[in-house]
Amino acid sequence: MAKNTFSRMSKLLTNRRISFATRSRLTKCYVWSIFLYACETWTLKINASLERNIEALEMWLYRRMARISWEEKKKNKEVLEEIGLKHTELLKIIKTRQLAYYGHIRRHQSFQKFITEGKINGKRQRGRKRKSWLGNIEETTTRRINECCEVALNREEWRRTIASNLWQETEHR
């Protein structure tokens, strides 16, 4: 849906008469908002294929906005440097929203809290255990889920945790 929206608005979003900063803001407003709808609830798979697809979408958008053809064989880093960015942003936004939503769920007595903490009776299916949403929270924060539960109850401490973890992740790229 996000690609379709970009394609429908391509004359505006690829117009060189408009500054790249303005086109980027328009893309974030009209395209990213569609793509990021309900991203707080996504489970990013263990094999990182979804993460690669998200990064590929973002790079596709940047290449189209800057009118950089695939035939030019420019690497993603070169494209980002050309448009004045240090790294991609979509994954960071998704992880930030997921962590903020988790903190919100933990602080309130709600149906969502009941679902995330709930256990299902019976036997588990054969095969590898599927990646869970709480597993994503553990992976992003590099803490066990019981530690995350305690920290999330204090809003200010949880916000510091979110900021520090995503800042470290940005440095690793």
Side-chain angles (χ1 to χ4, degrees):
M1 288 174 66
K3 271 189 168 183
N4 287 340
T5 303
F6 184 88
S7 296
R8 276 188 263 123
M9 299 181 70
S10 65
K11 287 187 179 179
L12 175 68
L13 298 174
T14 59
N15 188 342
R16 293 204 177 176
R17 290 182 184 169
I18 302 171
S19 72
F20 189 84
T22 304
R23 287 184 281 152
S24 180
R25 290 178 66 192
L26 288 170
T27 303
K28 288 177 182 178
C29 177
Y30 291 109
V31 180
W32 285 21
S33 61
I34 291 170
F35 178 74
L36 293 172
Y37 181 76
C39 69
E40 299 88 3
T41 61
W42 296 353
T43 300
L44 301 174
K45 305 289 186 225
I46 195 165
N47 61 7
S49 64
L50 184 59
E51 291 183 12
R52 283 194 307 270
N53 290 345
I54 291 168
E55 193 166 324
L57 170 74
E58 186 173 2
M59 290 308 301
W60 182 85
L61 294 170
Y62 289 147
R63 284 177 187 273
R64 293 289 172 107
M65 287 169 49
R67 292 193 174 194
I68 298 172
S69 172
W70 291 105
E71 294 171 353
E72 294 178 37
K73 303 221 187 244
K74 288 190 177 181
K75 296 186 178 198
N76 288 345
K77 280 189 174 183
E78 294 171 8
V79 172
L80 290 172
E81 286 173 6
E82 189 173 315
I83 61 176
L85 294 175
K86 294 179 183 173
H87 48 77
T88 56
E89 301 172 11
L90 270 175
L91 266 176
K92 185 177 176 183
I93 291 170
I94 290 170
K95 290 180 179 182
T96 303
R97 288 184 180 187
Q98 285 179 339
L99 292 175
Y101 185 60
Y102 176 73
H104 177 74
I105 289 172
R106 284 298 305 154
R107 285 188 296 277
H108 301 286
Q109 294 297 329
S110 65
F111 188 63
Q112 290 92 345
K113 182 177 180 181
F114 178 73
I115 290 172
T116 57
E117 293 176 348
K119 300 288 182 198
I120 299 173
N121 294 330
K123 285 187 167 183
R124 189 175 69 76
Q125 297 269 333
R126 297 188 321 193
R128 184 188 344 198
K129 192 174 179 182
R130 288 190 178 169
K131 182 79 171 191
S132 68
W133 187 74
L134 291 176
N136 280 344
I137 302 298
E138 282 183 335
E139 187 178 300
T140 304
T141 59
T142 63
R143 293 182 177 191
R144 305 265 312 140
I145 199 66
N146 56 356
E147 293 174 40
C148 291
C149 288
E150 292 173 15
V151 174
L153 293 175
N154 181 346
R155 178 179 282 151
E156 294 306 316
E157 189 176 348
W158 185 244
R159 285 180 179 168
R160 283 192 298 274
T161 301
I162 292 171
S164 67
N165 282 312
L166 295 172
W167 180 74
Q168 290 171 357
E169 182 179 303
T170 304
E171 274 189 341
H172 290 289
R173 288 186 175 189

